[in-house]
Amino acid sequence: IAQLLREFENDLSAGRPEIFYAEVLNDENASVNSNIDISKIPSCPFESEIAEGGIHQGNYIIVDPATDKANADAVSIGYFEIWDGKPVCREIIEGRLSPGDSIRESLKLCFKYNCTLVCVESNAYQYSHLYWFNFICTQLGIVGINCVDIYSGQMSKNSRILGMFKQLLAGEIYLTQAVRPAVFSQITSFNYLKTNNTDGVLDLLTYSPKVIELY
């Protein structure tokens, strides 16, 4: 994995990530997004402070739930910290998780990072995730973790993601080195003309400034 990441970073720094996709991943169509140059996304300036255990200004988890049906989207869970008033994405969990497993993975992140705020995308049926989160916490005797709702609003998902790309380039949202490969993978394959992109991680990032505003 380390060697693959080095190869990817080398091609990326040369401005030609499509070489990696074609030669290593054998996918000539993997990089279709021309809306953002990922080589221009700034590195997180707080990386050393985070590694040394510095004190952030706050932290939270965002969950994009999904059903456990065979053809459902993956569940996306992101852990964020606030540094200098800006959201920094530190860890991402993504996979085909049952509702119960996605709640348990969120709780693991809460305990790992001493985090007491979990924000759940609550459009339509997803709102029920809040009920089951609180139900499982009660079952396990866990108190002090606040599970709250967050909504996408009137703007379409693709429009929100395109706006988030501008925030990444402007340094209004930061990514640690640990999450950059996962984020870059979804960025490069994102096609704003499609509505069935694999974009759960990108959706988490669109919500990250909103959580600071609301909570």
Side-chain angles (χ1 to χ4, degrees):
I1 292 174
Q3 181 182 346
L4 288 171
L5 287 173
R6 283 195 299 271
E7 287 185 38
F8 175 67
E9 290 291 344
N10 287 336
D11 289 335
L12 178 62
S13 62
R16 298 300 301 275
E18 68 275 8
I19 294 176
F20 179 86
Y21 301 127
E23 295 184 355
V24 180
L25 302 184
N26 296 317
D27 188 350
E28 297 176 3
N29 301 310
S31 183
V32 298
N33 183 11
S34 60
N35 294 287
I36 179 172
D37 182 351
I38 56 178
S39 66
K40 294 182 179 177
I41 295 176
S43 298
C44 177
F46 313 108
E47 199 87 44
S48 59
E49 293 177 73
I50 292 172
E52 293 167 7
I55 300 174
H56 53 70
Q57 296 168 300
N59 59 353
Y60 53 93
I61 292 163
I62 303 177
V63 181
D64 183 1
T67 67
D68 52 0
K69 294 180 180 177
N71 60 346
D73 293 334
V75 175
S76 302
I77 306 171
Y79 170 70
F80 295 80
E81 292 179 351
I82 304 169
W83 290 83
D84 197 21
K86 309 238 178 89
V88 177
C89 185
R90 275 196 63 178
E91 185 169 342
I92 289 169
I93 296 172
E94 192 170 46
R96 301 201 178 282
L97 304 171
S98 70
D101 285 339
S102 65
I103 290 169
R104 281 183 277 272
E105 290 299 326
S106 301
L107 287 171
K108 288 178 187 176
L109 288 177
C110 288
F111 298 139
K112 179 178 179 179
Y113 294 108
N114 192 26
C115 178
T116 60
L117 178 62
V118 178
C119 303
V120 179
E121 182 179 338
S122 299
N123 299 314
Y125 78 91
Q126 294 171 317
Y127 185 81
S128 64
H129 194 86
L130 275 72
Y131 170 83
W132 290 112
F133 188 97
N134 291 321
F135 181 84
I136 288 179
C137 283
T138 301
Q139 268 193 332
L140 299 176
I142 298 169
V143 296
I145 296 176
N146 302 292
C147 187
V148 299
D149 51 0
I150 191 165
Y151 296 91
S152 58
Q154 300 299 314
M155 192 178 293
S156 71
K157 180 191 280 193
N158 284 4
S159 296
R160 294 199 315 272
I161 290 174
L162 290 174
M164 181 271 294
F165 289 161
K166 295 178 182 178
Q167 292 175 301
L168 278 176
L169 291 171
E172 296 172 9
I173 301 172
Y174 286 112
L175 310 169
T176 62
Q177 288 297 324
V179 303
R180 285 170 80 90
V183 176
F184 287 178
S185 174
Q186 291 198 3
I187 287 177
T188 52
S189 62
F190 178 77
N191 184 346
Y192 72 95
L193 297 176
K194 292 170 54 181
T195 58
N196 60 342
N197 291 289
T198 300
D199 52 19
V201 170
L202 303 183
D203 212 21
L204 297 178
L205 295 171
T206 69
Y207 284 116
S208 58
K210 194 172 185 179
V211 173
I212 299 176
E213 293 172 15
L214 292 175
Y215 298 111

